[in-house]
Amino acid sequence: MSETTGSVLEIRDLHVTVGEGDETKEILRGVDLTIRSGETHAIMGPNGSGKSTLAYSIAGHPKYTITGGTVTLDGEDVLAMTVDERARAGLFLAMQYPVEVPGVSVSNFLRTAATAVTGTAPKLRTWVKDVRTEMEALEMDAAFAERNVNEGFSGGEKKRHEILQMGLLKPKMAILDETDSGLDVDALRVVSEGVNRAKANSSVGVLLITHYTRILRYIEPDFVHVFVAGRVVEEGGKELADKLEAEGYASYLKADADAAAAIA
Amino acid sequence: MPENTDTPDTIAGPAESAALASELFAPGVGAQAGPPTTPASDTGTAGAGPGSHSHGGPTPTGSPAERFSSADPDDFAVVTGREEQWRFTPMKRVRPLLEGAGSDARLELTTDLPDGVELTTVGADDPLLAGLPEPVDRLAALTRVNAGGATVVRIPAEAQLDRPVTLSLRGTGSADVVWGQTVVEVGRHAAATIVLDHSGEAKYSGGVVVLVGDGAHVELVSVQEWAPGTAHGGQYDAVVGRDATFRQAVVTLGGDLVRLVSNVHYTGPGGTAELSGVYFADETQHQEHRLWVDHSTPNCTSNVVYKGALQGEQAHTVWVGDVRIRPAATGTETYELNRNLVLTDGARADSVPNLEIETGEIVSAGHASATGRFDDEQLFYLCSRGIDAETARRLVVRGFFADVVQKIAVPELADRLMGTIEQRLGALPGLEEQDVEVESELQPA
């Protein structure tokens, strides 16, 4: 797709389970979402509602089994792609708990990833400049590049590193899984500015998964979706976030319990 | 989340049955002293032997509670392969060493000696040899006898060397067994790095003893980049003085058979031993590393990290890590870790940690042993950044080793070893022009 028409990530009636046999548990129970280039969607929900499962299912984590529905990016079947193919197609997942990769330096990792995503090794001179600029903007020390991926990183460093990758890999669609969790105000500001910079510099579509409204003061959502028990139960503009801030999730949880009781 | 094969164990504070265990052992018995003792029965079965703590899988480790040692080969029975110490070793390959005659064959020695370092040889009757830790198996005892003396490296007290002492030992392909004994004497408060760099083809059995003076800082690096056809056996002993630090890095990449036994003894309180190892076994290679850290004095520390990868049919690695904390060794802090990465079917990694605690008054004692395939979470993370699974695997394996190799105090050597490992893994696609420049340019201006 060209920049002018933009990209679209479509999630239709997505059903996902974890576990096998008797242990099988349905986590996503029919998720519908459409995210277009340049849009920012916030998904908010209580713990255990399946928000992270949605993120990891789109990225292709082997732990999750898709039992129904579709995910397409510009019409291409995302669910048929391997994990790396999804990333090369333009999907990016900023993880809540980024994994340590001992012995692999950040600079080596970033360049290997950029090479994979763009198909060619980036030109050394511009690449070095790009990395440096992005790191400075995220208030990361240059020595950071020599450390092993996520090894011994503080919570804030891990999240900066995730957003650094988002900035460098320039995805079409970025899913940010609780990027705000565990951040102090300073780190939250830096990380949010990083996301806003990526939004300003590209037409990236953002799916922002969060438990709290705090990050939405920094990153303004176009749409807010309330996620409870594996599906979207209410949608609206950013004013919905204010309502959640004031009232919490209690009314949704009660409604869901009532519905479950009615079915039973 | 995927299964985690780690089996970390940590024992801190008063160890159960410590009092009972202390009755089993004479206080202060050193590995190099005392008459042969009968191994306590059942010490290898987790929970069965008082104070013992072991994970050897279903098979008991049977590690003797007291280690027999002797300078006389005839004090050891002829090796059958059924002994605990030899049960993993392919007899066919080690027999040429065990049955080898004394010979004049030598490894080709090239040295790089910084100023102040003395290299000499001493005869078999030199008193220095009588004071060394005794051999703990028949091969080591044969080596002590057949070597007929020793090559001695002396580093004077308080010396600060400007570069590593390097002994390059090259096998010339002789059919005779090469017997060798090396002694490194480091004076008090000296700081030195010693590299033993093994290459070429040989049948070699070599003893190495490092005498670390009080307060000295010593790093020994032993590289086994042997050619195919090589069999290498050896006992390494470090005698760590009061408040001294001994670091050892063993890197085994080549040879048909490599079997190294590393022992650490402390002669005073406050000693530190850091033992690290890297091994990479390809098809049919047998690489065996046995460690024995004998905490006999108070307030000493030991830390063991060995990592191995295996690929190809009949690649076999063995790691046995024994740590003993004797009743006198209060304030001991010890941890040992062995990780194995099995890259293909048909390879086998044996890992046997064994911890015996005879006093409750320690800081901490623990071990972890894990043998597995790739970490799925690491793979997922890398793949989620567009990196294909094969490249991701190579990155992870390289990283798995780099972790330990990077800590070797000789950067050029660390680079060379990583180069060898990379060759074994195959070239990483798309990264021909490596990113060394990137890394340097990223330094602050």
Side-chain angles (χ1 to χ4, degrees), chain A residues 61 63 84 87-88 93 95 100 102-105 107-109 112 116-117 124 132 142 145-146 150 162 165, chain B residues 1 377-378 380-388 395 398-400 402 430-431 433 435 437-439 441-443:
Chain A
H61 194 287
K63 180 183 166 187
D84 52 306
R88 293 200 294 272
L93 170 62
M95 297 189 197
E100 290 185 8
V104 179
S105 73
S107 74
N108 189 9
F109 164 66
T112 306
V117 166
L124 212 52
R132 190 186 287 147
E146 301 319 307
N150 293 320
E162 293 295 285
Q165 295 168 54
Chain B
M1 293 294 119
E377 293 301 324
Q378 290 182 354
F380 174 73
Y381 188 74
L382 295 169
C383 289
S384 78
R385 272 43 176 158
I387 300 166
D388 67 273
L395 265 181
R398 192 168 66 166
F400 175 75
L431 282 176
E433 14 128 25
D435 56 338
E437 264 186 277
V438 175
E439 302 195 1
E441 285 190 46
L442 278 173
Q443 295 300 331

Side-chain angles (χ1 to χ4, degrees), chain A residues 3-20:
Chain A
E3 283 292 304
T4 48
T5 52
S7 291
V8 57
L9 177 68
E10 287 191 276
I11 301 158
R12 288 287 163 267
D13 195 28
L14 189 65
H15 290 255
V16 173
T17 62
V18 289
E20 284 171 13

Side-chain angles (χ1 to χ4, degrees), chain A residues 99-180:
Chain A
V99 181
E100 290 185 8
V101 190
V104 179
S105 73
V106 167
S107 74
N108 189 9
F109 164 66
L110 290 176
R111 193 148 185 269
T112 306
T115 303
V117 166
T118 61
T120 51
K123 291 256 185 303
L124 212 52
R125 192 145 293 282
T126 51
W127 172 251
V128 169
K129 188 168 155 283
D130 289 350
V131 173
R132 190 186 287 147
T133 308
E134 200 69 37
M135 283 178 66
E136 279 170 7
L138 286 164
E139 298 178 20
M140 296 166 83
D141 193 275
F144 198 85
E146 301 319 307
R147 293 171 64 186
N148 292 330
V149 172
N150 293 320
E151 196 178 62
F153 287 16
S154 68
E157 286 173 334
K158 283 182 180 169
K159 299 303 171 69
R160 284 171 211 233
H161 181 228
E162 293 295 285
I163 300 307
L164 172 66
Q165 295 168 54
M166 179 187 170
L168 292 169
L169 300 178
K170 301 187 179 10
K172 290 177 183 165
M173 293 291 159
I175 303 164
L176 311 182
D177 184 20
E178 305 215 10
T179 297
D180 55 330

Side-chain angles (χ1 to χ4, degrees), chain B residues 422-442:
Chain B
E422 302 241 350
Q423 272 179 9
R424 299 268 292 272
L425 287 168
L428 285 169
L431 282 176
E432 291 82 2
E433 14 128 25
Q434 256 302 327
D435 56 338
V436 181
E437 264 186 277
V438 175
E439 302 195 1
S440 58
E441 285 190 46
L442 278 173

Side-chain angles (χ1 to χ4, degrees), chain B residues 222-236:
Chain B
S222 181
V223 176
Q224 289 66 245
E225 276 204 88
W226 296 109
T230 297
H232 176 198
Q235 176 176 325
Y236 286 50

Side-chain angles (χ1 to χ4, degrees), chain B residues 144-203:
Chain B
R144 195 64 71 80
V145 170
N146 287 333
T151 300
V152 180
V153 177
R154 281 204 178 88
I155 294 149
E158 300 191 20
Q160 304 287 319
L161 304 183
D162 62 350
R163 62 179 193 275
V165 178
T166 303
L167 306 185
S168 298
L169 298 150
R170 185 169 187 82
T172 58
S174 162
D176 293 332
V177 174
V178 178
W179 305 95
Q181 177 67 53
T182 305
V183 179
V184 180
E185 250 189 305
V186 184
R188 54 183 3 219
H189 300 303
T193 298
I194 301 98
V195 178
L196 303 177
D197 195 354
H198 300 99
S199 64
E201 185 189 343
K203 296 198 173 7

